Amino acid sequence: MESGSGHIFILSAPSGAGKTTLGRALREKFPHIGYSISHTTRPPRKGETDGEDYYFISRQNFQEGIRSGHWAEWARVHDHYYGTSAAFLDQEISHGHDVLLDIDVQGTRQLLKRYPGSITIFIMPPDLPALRKRLETRGADSPETIKKRLAAAEEEINQRHIYRHIIINDHLPEAITQLCNVIRQYTSPSRPKDPSVS
Ligand code: 5GP
């Protein structure tokens, strides 16, 4: 199903690959691109705000959403559920708005079925030892969680071939430039949010 002229940009990366920083840079450079706020059953981390970082909802509500077809895609990641509202996405792209999603590989596969024209971008960490070091120095996770995240990272990296663009985040400023160049192929930084408004 592909309606309207809005682009769907999907950004995926193993945790610790620098996706949050890159996503933030993108949103600064391309303010007209809307950001899809996911729903999750994960409890908020320190500093996270409901309705800004995620919509934090109960497991029961999430599962109800699965039954009612509320999610354009959903996945279970690190013991929690994450999903994107189908109504939100359909509305944005049918109005010609560009949208950026930060979702995992499972979700990307589902969205590619629903919106085959989605522009998929995978952020690669330079290598697994570097990723381990980043996760350790970030200090946000226990050794057990880091182990789980590294295993998940390896699995995601092995599926990177499903993405149209792959960016290696070895050197952050360079990765930001590459990412912006990719986005610029599809949309201009100054494109108005609603093409009907000049
Ligand atoms: P975190 O809990 O660290 O914010 O996110 C964990 C993982 O869940 C990340 O890989 C992130 O991309 C993924 N994620 C966040 N929101 C969604 C979503 O709506 N759908 C899917 N499939 N993955 C998501």
Side-chain angles (χ1 to χ4, degrees), residues 13 19 38-39 42 45 48 54 73-75 77-78 82-84 102-104 106-107 149 156:
K19 181 178 48 176
S38 296
H39 291 68
R42 162 170 85 58
R45 295 195 186 112
E48 284 184 332
Y54 282 104
E73 63 74 34
W74 66 273
V77 189
H78 309 312
Y82 296 81
T84 304
D102 167 348
I103 61 174
D104 79 333
Q106 306 171 69
R149 286 185 183 268
E156 293 214 316

Side-chain angles (χ1 to χ4, degrees), residues 37-151:
I37 301 171
S38 296
H39 291 68
T40 185
T41 59
R42 162 170 85 58
R45 295 195 186 112
K46 219 172 150 213
E48 284 184 332
T49 309
D50 184 47
E52 275 181 30
D53 300 284
Y54 282 104
Y55 295 109
F56 297 99
I57 64 170
S58 69
R59 190 168 275 240
Q60 195 186 341
N61 282 351
F62 196 96
Q63 284 167 339
E64 179 48 41
I66 297 174
R67 280 191 290 272
S68 64
H70 185 74
W71 311 121
E73 63 74 34
W74 66 273
R76 206 177 153 159
V77 189
H78 309 312
D79 297 334
H80 297 291
Y81 289 98
Y82 296 81
T84 304
S85 156
F88 167 79
L89 213 46
D90 286 344
Q91 180 181 312
E92 289 301 296
I93 66 155
S94 67
H95 282 90
H97 298 164
D98 293 340
V99 185
L100 173 71
L101 290 94
D102 167 348
I103 61 174
D104 79 333
V105 178
Q106 306 171 69
T108 303
R109 285 188 184 279
Q110 295 167 49
L111 268 199
L112 279 173
K113 285 196 192 130
R114 198 178 170 105
Y115 302 106
S118 300
I119 298 137
T120 51
I121 307 163
F122 189 83
I123 309 295
M124 280 276 289
D127 54 49
L128 283 175
L131 184 61
R132 176 193 298 274
K133 205 159 164 225
R134 273 190 207 170
L135 289 174
E136 284 169 355
T137 47
R138 185 165 82 170
D141 302 304
S142 66
E144 188 54 36
T145 305
I146 290 180
K147 215 169 139 190
K148 264 197 207 169
R149 286 185 183 268
L150 280 172

Side-chain angles (χ1 to χ4, degrees), residues 1-21:
M1 176 167 88
E2 202 105 6
S3 53
S5 59
H7 296 97
I8 294 182
F9 295 102
I10 302 179
L11 198 58
S12 297
S15 44
K19 181 178 48 176
T20 311
T21 317

